[in-house]
Amino acid sequence: FEIANELRSIDIRNYTDLEELRQIILYKISAYLKNYRSGEILEFDSSKLGVENVFLKIGSGSLGGKARGIAFLNHLIKQNHLQDKYQDINILIPLMFVICSDVFEDFVENNNLYDYAMETRDEEAIAKRFLEAELPEKIKKDLRRLIEKIDKPLAVRSSSILEDSQTLPFAGIYNTYIIPNNYDDIEMRFKHLYDSVRLVFSSVFYNSPKQYAKNADLRIEEEKMAVIIEGLVGEEHGRYFYPLISGVAQSYNFYPYGNMKPQDGTVSLALGFGKTIVEGGKVYRYSPAYPKKPPPYSGPKEFLGKLQTTFYV
């Protein structure tokens, strides 16, 4: 009905060029579909790759903690019309695909990887064994279709069932891989993506997660892994890709100053990749409740000395 209302306003007598009329109709249909699908979780299909603010899933099962959180944010953006709130600022999640947890379970079971991965402490040997194993053919075809349509850098990230648990989060324990995805040879780009997915799967059985699970009285065998494939946000400059900005927000500020309260939270921002933040580099910190309040430095010299001077591309 919405499309019908849009098309009713078109008077074909005003057009002598049928191709121009056709393009107008296609634009109105495309705009409707973009708005309708925005903020939704959809089954993967290469025809949906051009839709903004859409979240595509491959396979079945759980999205995992991290992907579920991003999907919720995506829904909030749509529900609160944030994409229309600020002039000249487009708020949306990056290009986003999730390989659901059932793919991980089938992969590990069909290739008899559980016992070997649980008993082996050599992480290189585990990674090699996982790289020798094959994902289901349908998943490989979906990954190939994805890589045929997208030639921007991608982050391949973990999204386990336990990852964003409020009591015992596994955040930061599993591996993330960033692939340039800019080779002319599409087979090389596919190989990088295919290998990265399998290596994220293998990181479930590395020593750190095993020990962390043991200390937390959890069984790592019960862990299920989904994988996020996410487009990086940024621009190319010559032979480098410059990520725009990275940030970590925390809901509790352990070091408030002035009239800030711990519950006001804190944000750390950095230019370039988030490696600067997570490895304790120089960043800009502020409270979302007081965004214009300057950091508590004694003067310009200290302020400049603690500002970011390098960034990762």
Side-chain angles (χ1 to χ4, degrees):
F1 289 110
E2 286 181 46
I3 293 178
N5 284 332
E6 285 284 325
L7 297 183
R8 190 176 288 121
S9 64
I10 297 174
D11 187 342
I12 61 171
R13 291 171 297 184
N14 295 333
Y15 297 90
T16 54
D17 185 351
L18 280 180
E19 182 57 30
E20 183 187 359
L21 180 61
R22 180 175 176 273
Q23 290 302 323
I24 289 170
I25 293 170
L26 283 173
Y27 174 79
K28 288 184 179 292
I29 292 172
S30 175
Y32 167 78
L33 288 174
K34 185 181 287 187
N35 183 56
Y36 175 73
R37 290 168 170 170
S38 176
E40 302 294 322
I41 301 173
L42 304 174
E43 296 288 340
F44 177 80
D45 186 307
S46 56
S47 67
K48 296 168 188 163
L49 289 175
V51 180
E52 275 188 0
N53 220 25
V54 75
F55 194 107
L56 299 177
K57 65 172 188 164
I58 298 171
S60 58
S62 171
L63 299 173
K66 192 183 291 176
R68 193 168 59 244
I70 296 170
F72 179 61
L73 284 175
N74 197 34
H75 174 69
L76 288 180
I77 290 169
K78 170 77 186 301
Q79 193 178 45
N80 295 288
H81 304 287
L82 286 184
Q83 63 268 51
D84 305 321
K85 190 170 182 180
Y86 304 101
Q87 189 176 356
D88 300 326
I89 295 177
N90 197 6
I91 299 176
L92 45 83
I93 65 163
L95 198 64
M96 183 74 60
F97 312 91
V98 178
I99 301 174
C100 297
S101 63
D102 280 7
V103 176
F104 167 76
E105 292 187 90
D106 291 343
F107 173 72
V108 172
E109 190 174 320
N110 295 341
N111 292 285
N112 300 314
L113 294 169
Y114 262 123
D115 291 342
Y116 176 82
M118 286 303 301
E119 292 165 7
T120 305
R121 293 193 60 80
D122 184 340
E123 293 181 356
E124 282 191 22
I126 294 172
K128 185 171 183 294
R129 186 73 172 263
F130 271 67
L131 287 174
E132 290 168 351
E134 295 289 334
L135 281 168
E137 201 58 39
K138 182 188 181 305
I139 305 302
K140 288 172 70 174
K141 284 181 180 176
D142 284 344
L143 292 178
R144 187 178 291 278
R145 284 196 296 167
L146 187 157
I147 218 74
E148 285 171 355
K149 295 270 188 175
I150 297 166
D151 59 359
K152 65 186 295 183
L154 298 171
V156 184
R157 312 171 65 196
S158 62
S159 179
S160 79
I161 304 296
L162 301 173
E163 196 137 24
D164 280 355
S165 161
Q166 286 190 328
T167 50
L168 289 164
F170 274 61
I173 288 182
Y174 302 122
N175 287 11
T176 291
Y177 295 89
I178 291 174
I179 55 176
N181 193 32
N182 62 346
Y183 290 92
D184 292 332
D185 183 359
I186 199 164
E187 290 303 318
M188 179 66 76
R189 287 162 49 204
F190 171 72
K191 182 181 186 304
H192 283 175
L193 178 60
Y194 188 40
D195 286 353
S196 298
V197 170
R198 291 180 292 177
L199 286 170
V200 171
F201 283 162
S202 74
S203 69
V204 170
F205 302 99
Y206 288 175
N207 295 325
S208 241
K210 284 179 185 173
Q211 191 59 47
Y212 185 77
K214 184 178 179 183
N215 293 345
D217 202 24
L218 296 169
R219 286 168 53 82
I220 199 68
E221 299 97 312
E222 294 173 5
E223 176 68 295
K224 296 178 182 179
M225 177 67 77
V227 173
I228 296 171
I229 302 168
E230 190 175 50
L232 296 187
V233 179
E235 294 177 351
E236 286 186 30
H237 292 274
R239 55 189 290 262
Y240 295 106
F241 184 86
Y242 281 46
L244 293 184
I245 198 166
S246 302
V248 173
Q250 294 173 289
S251 55
Y252 196 89
N253 183 1
F254 288 95
Y255 305 100
Y257 59 91
N259 53 350
M260 291 180 185
K261 301 181 184 66
Q263 295 81 3
D264 289 334
T266 183
V267 174
S268 300
L269 291 181
L271 182 68
F273 284 129
K275 179 180 171 76
T276 302
I277 300 171
V278 297
E279 293 187 356
K282 295 177 180 179
V283 299
Y284 183 80
R285 289 189 179 88
Y286 73 97
S287 170
Y290 304 94
K292 294 183 180 180
K293 193 179 184 72
Y297 298 139
S298 59
K301 190 173 181 180
E302 185 184 3
F303 186 58
L304 291 171
K306 295 193 175 181
L307 285 178
Q308 184 182 0
T309 52
T310 59
F311 66 102
Y312 291 100
V313 301

